[in-house]
Amino acid sequence: MESAQPGARLRLIELTKRFGGVTAVDQLDLTVAAGTYFALLGPSGCGKTTTLRMVAGLEEPTRGRILLDEEEITELRPYRRPVNTVFQSYALFPHLDVFENVAFGLRRRGVPDVTEQVRAMLSLVQLDGYDRRRPAQLSGGQQQRVALARALVNRPRVLLLDEPLGALDLTLRRRMQLELKRIQTEVGITFVHVTHDQEEAMTLADTVAVMNNGRIEQLGTPAELYEFPATAFVATFLGRSNLLSGTVVGRDGDDVLVEAYGQRFSVPVIRARRTAGAVLLGIRPEKLRLVGTVDEVPAGHQAVAGIVTDAAYLGTSTQYLIRTGWGGEFSVFVAADGEARPVPVGATVVAHWHPRYAFLLDGGTPGGTPAVPVDPAGAVPANGVGPR
Amino acid sequence: MARRLWRRVADHWVLAAAALVLGYLLLPVVVVAGLSVNRPSSRLSYDFHEATLDNWRDPCAAPGMCAALLRSVQIGFLATAISTVLGTLLAFALVRYRFRGRTALNLLVLAPMATPEVVLGTSLLALLVAAGVPQGFWTVVIAHVMFCVSFVVVTVRARLSGMDRRLEEAALDLYASEWQAFCRVTLPMALPGIVAAALLSFSLSFDDFVVTNFTSGTTVTFPMYVWGANQRGIPPQVNVVGTAMFAVALLLMAAVRLRGRRARQPAPPSRGDAGAASERPVSAEVG
Amino acid sequence: MSGTYRRLLPYLLVLPGGLWLVVFFLLPAVQLVATSLYDPAGSLADGYAMTWAFGNYPDAIRAYWAHFGRSFGYAGLATALALLLGYPLAYVIALRAGRWQHLLLVCVVAPMFTSFLVRTLAWKAILADTGPVVGLLREVHLLAPDGRLLASPVAVVTSLTYGYLPFMVLPIYASLQRLDRRLLEAARDLNARPAQVFWTVTLPLSRPGVVAGTLLTVIPASGDYISAELLGTPRDYMIGNVIDAAFLVRLDYPQGAALSVLLLLVILVLTIGYLRRGAEEVG
Ligand SMILES: Nc1ncnc2c1ncn2[C@@H]1O[C@H](COP(=O)(O)OP(=O)(O)O)[C@@H](O)[C@H]1O
Ligand SMILES: [Mg+2]
């Protein structure tokens, strides 16, 4: 048990949960490396909580296996699992004070002297001196810390956090994010953090898995997910993307040629999830530049012309909405670097980008062969790509 | 395999225990139903002898029983009507207003519930005798109202305090006068509580023996009749009434349930995270 | 005008109900105390004289201390049994019944509509010497071949437990129903075994229900005399039987009143002590 790593590697194999007709979690395959901060990111209702509950033992999987390092825990009852949870609502025991809440797990396992451990844990979460308070006498942020301390004090091999910061206001949430990160580094336990907030996932996690409809769409570091999303869902859920549907019409050396709305575009083949048939050409709004005429587009760049329909000044950037010639909409973020002049609504503009920033996704129509997903080593989702 | 079996047992023994207790609760009702179709071998016998429907065909064959029953129903209705009105007013005042004497009133309302019935009955009797009031139908009604009011207050208050005050404020904001807001919003929402309180009052009044025994003089209610008959031998028709009351109670509760369900019907299943957590059937265990 | 009305409104609302309770509950209680101090030499026919006869109390205690003891013994036993039986039932209805919850609640409440007396008499049939329960117990030698259940404390306690069981089940059910189930999951997640979840979370959080249920059972049970009258013998009589006889048979009002007041006082003391201890343990 006392291996070099306090955290364990968590493996889910074909994990499935059905509630009657609803498939909440669908053949999930996932490996979380030991001692890492892992985020499970997805919209509400996609099956995140259900996945965590199965790992904690609070829900029985319909199918599949759960492994901690090499040990199978699928059948173990919750109290036998070296796994603890920070619940979404905290679920602090109202009849016990802070000290007893934190000591709860230790006492249940018959640990003889808990005082020292509890005190140490309370100071780790910066709640020294709050021992005798009741949960009702604490602020939201303090309750959150107690919930964290209560789980961590048991030294679980894996700590599950179900939207732990969901109930906090923005400022507090930011502070707690840094705090969580610090604590995880300090204790070295594997953290599995569930959230629907992409910013939170990207701030905290070493690895992020994006979940949708009970499946994992993509898994990787925040940068990998952002720079080269695997599916249209990831491209739009994690940040924003302009997606053009088109068809692959050929190859030009290391580039894939795409026709969309009567225009030709090219994308480097290493940036393509699919190299034939129907595709979606994606480009992030902040990778676009705005110029007044086609003549100003730099050589090698690709361009789309349109009319500015909306401009929102956000301080760090200005967001433009551009109606293209074929009636589509393009978002363009122009950084407020002091050089860009504001563009008035109604102006005719040309948005351009360098092809290396674009990416090609499966367009969802039958006919082509999907490209092999380029995934980071170590963690391979079985169902990373493909239409849903 | 054996472990699974053992786990099953560990998880479910409490269900078996509850089933046994439920059996204990229902056994006398079943026996009453059985006795209601029994022809006793003799007047004093309370054993099963042979089956007959005679008791059901003519419940009033037992001399005096139907008159007692009717009197109990009359008293029940009167006591229910009065205590529901008085208790509802009290509950509204206690929930909605702070006023002087509120704490004392709270105590006064709870006190009859914490007093054994013999004490309630004997003290009323002592007062009636001292004041020279003859005991009879109306003293029974008065006594029943007295102990029913407490239960009405508690029941209605529970409903009222669980109610969202902002709904009334919304009504006021939408140009309702205070009186209109009360009639259109508050009262309809409190109604299930009031109905429950009225049902409870009726059952308490109808079933009361002890307080009635001390305040009825020569008036005979159904429980008084049964008590008296116990000396002479219980006519089987008594069990017909018991069974019928049980059936009526079931029907009433089913009706209330159906109405409540229809009223709530159009609400779609909520899908917030917090909602999901509380909807989740949690299988917690007792060990 | 409207301001005055508004200030008076709460008083107008409480006036009828409050007055009713004052006149028909409080005043009678005062009269009961007064009656208990009347000269015991008087009679109902000739009238009683108020002589502040405090001696009625020691006299009553001397004569009937055994009945007091039996009352609280039986009531305490019945309450303990009702808690033991009622808790699992309330637990299952609140936490394990799923869509059967409503039906089970109806099963608890509906028997109360079958008259208490009629149900108590049904126990007479169930526990009869020729009945199946006695037969079975004799068969397995838990009862001597001529042993009886009827006309014994067993029958009285059985009936008391039975009669007040719903008053134990319903408050416990209500408090378990309010319990946040996520707390139970949190406890399981924090390595509590099923039994530990129960003792450390479920039971403490349902404590208000247990307190209310206990009081709602023990108070009426200690004053009950139907069970002892119908299923017991004079040897099993409780204080209620004595009070009933004092008022309605022997027409000894001062003594009956003294016994009533004593019963109320004992219950008051026990209740306050119980609530205070409960508050201490929680706080
Ligand atoms: N106990 C349950 N019974 C029925 N359906 C459930 C239950 N728990 C979750 N679900 C369903 O499973 C899906 C995933 O839910 P959940 O895991 O809570 O999502 P998330 O945490 O990602 O918001 C939802 O469609 C939800 O309706
Ligand atoms: Mg969730």
Side-chain angles (χ1 to χ4, degrees):
Chain A
M1 163 104 190
E2 286 302 316
S3 54
Q5 275 270 23
R9 183 184 59 178
L10 172 68
R11 279 184 71 195
L12 312 182
I13 302 170
E14 298 196 354
L15 198 62
T16 303
K17 179 69 190 183
R18 285 193 203 93
F19 295 107
V22 184
T23 304
V25 176
D26 194 3
Q27 305 213 14
L28 206 72
D29 278 297
L30 187 66
T31 302
V32 178
T36 58
Y37 204 123
F38 184 91
L40 196 55
L41 174 66
S44 184
C46 72
K48 306 179 299 286
T49 298
T50 309
T51 307
L52 280 203
R53 289 168 57 83
M54 287 192 284
V55 176
L58 298 172
E59 202 90 69
E60 219 175 300
T62 312
R63 264 193 48 208
R65 306 203 294 146
I66 303 166
L67 275 74
L68 277 190
D69 287 338
E70 302 311 323
E71 187 198 356
E72 168 138 16
I73 59 165
T74 321
E75 299 265 299
L76 284 189
R77 312 210 114 190
Y79 63 86
R80 293 194 185 281
R81 298 186 188 207
V83 170
N84 292 106
T85 307
V86 177
F87 289 89
Q88 185 164 11
S89 54
Y90 312 145
L92 299 181
F93 302 118
H95 60 300
L96 302 177
D97 59 24
V98 167
F99 184 94
E100 284 304 320
N101 261 286
V102 176
F104 189 90
L106 298 175
R107 292 209 195 280
R108 299 295 83 75
R109 284 183 296 140
V111 175
D113 189 25
V114 301
T115 316
E116 204 133 306
Q117 292 188 52
V118 172
R119 289 269 150 78
M121 194 49 67
L122 282 175
S123 81
L124 182 69
V125 298
Q126 303 179 345
L127 279 178
D128 307 82
Y130 282 84
D131 318 27
R132 293 302 157 205
R133 297 262 194 113
R134 289 282 171 118
Q137 300 167 315
L138 299 177
S139 72
Q142 290 166 337
Q143 291 183 14
Q144 209 281 328
R145 286 158 198 267
V146 176
L148 183 64
R150 185 178 72 169
L152 268 182
V153 77
N154 302 293
R155 303 276 159 197
R157 318 269 340 260
V158 175
L159 182 75
L160 308 174
L161 303 102
D162 191 357
E163 312 221 0
L165 311 179
L168 306 182
D169 63 55
L170 196 60
T171 332
L172 201 52
R173 197 147 71 214
R174 291 275 148 72
R175 236 187 42 225
M176 279 309 295
Q177 283 172 5
L178 299 178
E179 195 92 322
L180 277 175
K181 186 84 185 170
R182 168 182 72 80
I183 290 171
Q184 195 270 333
T185 319
E186 215 167 309
V187 296
I189 290 170
T190 313
F191 274 35
V192 178
H193 181 124
V194 154
T195 176
H196 63 253
D197 178 351
Q198 48 123 345
E199 205 176 314
E200 187 170 302
M202 294 176 78
T203 312
L204 283 169
D206 306 316
T207 314
V208 177
V210 179
M211 198 169 171
N212 189 29
N213 283 332
R215 294 168 157 267
I216 294 216
E217 299 249 338
Q218 191 178 2
L219 184 147
T221 65
E224 282 162 353
L225 296 188
Y226 191 81
E227 295 302 333
F228 190 19
T231 65
F233 176 80
V234 176
T236 48
F237 190 73
L238 209 73
R240 282 165 63 178
S241 295
N242 297 301
L243 295 177
L244 306 179
S245 42
T247 320
V248 173
V249 291
R251 288 281 286 266
D252 177 15
D254 282 342
D255 289 340
V256 181
L257 300 179
V258 177
E259 193 175 291
Y261 305 105
Q263 261 181 278
R264 279 281 172 104
F265 302 97
S266 74
V267 179
V269 71
I270 51 158
R271 302 271 303 158
R273 298 286 179 189
R274 196 175 196 216
T275 53
V279 288
L280 289 170
L281 185 143
I283 177 81
R284 297 279 186 189
E286 71 276 10
K287 299 284 167 38
L288 293 168
R289 298 279 174 271
L290 285 184
V291 291
T293 61
V294 181
D295 299 342
E296 296 170 62
V297 174
H301 278 227
Q302 308 196 315
V304 166
I307 297 167
V308 176
T309 56
D310 188 45
Y313 175 71
L314 297 182
T316 54
S317 71
T318 306
Q319 292 193 9
Y320 293 101
L321 212 54
I322 290 164
R323 162 105 34 79
T324 60
W326 63 85
E329 278 198 330
F330 250 65
S331 290
V332 180
F333 297 171
V334 178
D337 52 8
E339 281 169 35
R341 271 186 343 236
V343 184
V345 171
T348 310
V349 289
V350 177
H352 65 87
W353 67 91
H354 192 281
R356 69 167 176 270
Y357 293 129
F359 48 89
L360 270 195
L361 305 174
D362 192 321
T365 347
T369 42
V372 176
V374 188
D375 274 307
V380 182
N383 44 5
V385 253
R388 297 170 311 281
Chain B
M1 206 55 232
R3 205 168 96 193
R4 284 218 150 186
L5 187 73
W6 171 240
R7 196 182 275 193
R8 279 269 130 101
V9 172
D11 279 354
H12 297 295
W13 70 265
V14 66
L15 297 183
L20 284 177
V21 177
L22 207 61
Y24 174 64
L25 266 174
L26 291 176
L27 177 65
V29 179
V30 174
V31 170
V32 169
L35 289 170
S36 79
V37 292
N38 178 40
R39 191 200 313 280
S41 50
S42 74
R43 202 161 56 90
L44 278 170
S45 149
Y46 215 62
D47 296 334
F48 288 102
H49 181 58
E50 62 182 16
T52 173
L53 282 177
D54 289 353
N55 308 326
W56 282 87
R57 268 191 218 107
D58 187 10
C60 291
M65 191 190 79
C66 280
L69 192 60
L70 182 67
R71 203 157 299 122
S72 270
V73 172
Q74 286 168 341
I75 291 172
F77 274 125
L78 278 168
T80 300
I82 301 172
S83 62
T84 304
V85 172
L86 298 187
T88 303
L89 292 180
L90 274 172
F92 266 103
L94 286 172
V95 171
R96 284 297 147 85
Y97 300 99
R98 320 270 115 179
F99 51 90
R100 270 212 288 165
R102 189 167 164 276
T103 318
L105 188 65
N106 252 322
L107 268 179
L108 181 64
V109 164
L110 289 179
M113 289 203 290
T115 309
E117 281 193 279
V118 234
V119 180
L120 294 178
T122 51
S123 53
L124 259 170
L125 176 61
L127 182 74
L128 294 175
V129 167
V133 179
Q135 295 108 63
F137 183 90
W138 287 104
T139 51
V140 174
V141 173
I142 285 173
H144 286 193
V145 170
M146 181 264 296
F147 64 73
C148 287
V149 160
S150 301
F151 286 91
V152 173
V153 173
V154 170
T155 312
V156 175
R157 183 164 59 182
R159 172 84 194 175
L160 281 177
S161 54
M163 240 164 67
D164 192 346
R165 193 104 211 238
R166 281 169 302 183
L167 290 172
E168 278 166 65
E169 287 164 4
L172 292 174
D173 182 61
L174 294 169
Y175 312 111
S177 71
E178 247 172 78
W179 175 242
Q180 285 171 326
F182 175 81
C183 292
R184 304 255 160 158
V185 178
T186 318
L187 201 57
M189 290 206 335
L191 203 59
I194 299 175
V195 170
L199 277 177
L200 182 65
S201 290
F202 187 83
S203 77
L204 286 173
S205 162
F206 184 85
D207 198 25
D208 179 73
F209 166 72
V210 176
V211 175
T212 314
N213 193 25
F214 289 106
T215 51
S216 60
T218 53
T219 304
V220 177
T221 62
F222 179 69
M224 298 286 299
Y225 174 84
V226 177
W227 181 260
N230 183 47
Q231 329 284 326
R232 309 186 298 268
I234 302 284
Q237 284 84 353
V238 161
N239 295 305
V240 173
V241 175
T243 312
M245 285 299 293
F246 182 73
V248 167
L250 285 185
L251 285 178
L252 268 180
M253 283 190 265
V256 168
R257 167 81 168 160
L258 281 182
R259 273 203 58 136
R261 192 183 282 175
R262 203 165 313 137
R264 277 194 303 271
Q265 198 75 110
S270 70
R271 256 311 303 165
D273 250 347
S278 54
E279 277 157 29
R280 239 173 219 132
V282 176
S283 55
E285 300 106 301
V286 223
Chain C
M1 169 67 218
S2 142
T4 321
Y5 167 76
R6 214 170 271 211
R7 225 165 341 100
L8 285 180
L9 184 63
Y11 296 100
L12 290 175
L13 291 177
V14 302
L15 189 68
L19 212 57
W20 200 288
L21 288 174
V22 167
V23 175
F24 300 118
F25 171 72
L26 216 50
L27 207 58
V30 173
Q31 179 59 44
L32 186 72
V33 175
T35 307
S36 73
L37 301 174
Y38 283 165
D39 180 5
S43 78
L44 195 56
D46 308 333
Y48 288 104
M50 175 52 123
T51 56
W52 302 97
F54 285 99
N56 289 343
Y57 284 88
D59 288 349
I61 294 173
R62 249 194 310 281
Y64 296 111
W65 60 269
H67 293 83
F68 265 111
R70 210 148 40 223
S71 273
F72 286 99
Y74 289 175
L77 198 56
T79 306
L81 285 172
L83 181 59
L84 227 54
L85 297 175
Y87 201 103
L89 181 57
Y91 180 89
V92 166
I93 298 177
L95 296 173
R96 299 286 290 273
R99 58 210 185 82
W100 301 104
Q101 187 173 29
H102 193 79
L103 183 73
L104 291 183
L105 267 182
V106 167
C107 286
V108 173
V109 176
M112 293 205 279
F113 283 78
T114 303
S115 169
F116 186 77
L117 280 165
V118 175
R119 278 178 296 145
T120 309
L121 286 169
W123 280 108
K124 211 167 164 173
I126 297 165
L127 301 176
D129 296 341
T130 54
V133 178
V134 169
L136 184 73
L137 290 179
R138 283 179 183 165
E139 201 63 43
V140 298
H141 298 289
L142 278 173
L143 211 59
D146 59 345
R148 329 180 45 192
L149 289 178
L150 223 51
S152 76
V154 176
V156 177
V157 172
T158 303
S159 157
L160 282 176
T161 309
Y162 171 80
Y164 299 104
L165 189 54
F167 296 101
M168 183 65 89
V169 173
L170 293 176
I172 297 178
Y173 159 79
S175 68
L176 285 172
Q177 171 72 16
R178 270 198 301 273
L179 182 99
D180 184 348
R181 287 140 203 241
R182 286 171 291 189
L183 296 176
L184 305 182
E185 296 201 327
R188 290 208 287 159
D189 184 73
L190 291 166
N191 305 314
R193 290 147 186 278
Q196 293 174 322
V197 174
F198 178 75
W199 289 110
T200 56
V201 181
T202 316
L203 188 61
L205 287 175
S206 61
R207 198 192 180 97
V210 172
V211 169
T214 308
L215 289 177
L216 284 178
T217 306
V218 79
I219 292 174
S222 59
D224 183 277
Y225 59 94
I226 297 174
S227 301
E229 170 80 29
L230 297 185
L231 300 175
T233 62
R235 272 179 295 115
D236 311 313
Y237 275 2
M238 298 164 65
I239 198 64
N241 302 81
V242 178
I243 297 174
D244 180 71
F247 274 97
L248 300 177
V249 181
R250 291 189 279 115
L251 300 183
D252 185 351
Y253 276 37
Q255 184 176 61
L259 289 170
S260 262
V261 172
L262 278 172
L263 174 63
L264 190 58
L265 282 180
V266 174
I267 284 176
L268 221 57
V269 168
L270 287 180
T271 304
I272 290 172
Y274 180 62
L275 288 178
R276 187 161 290 168
R277 231 196 84 208
E280 255 164 38
E281 269 176 39
V282 170

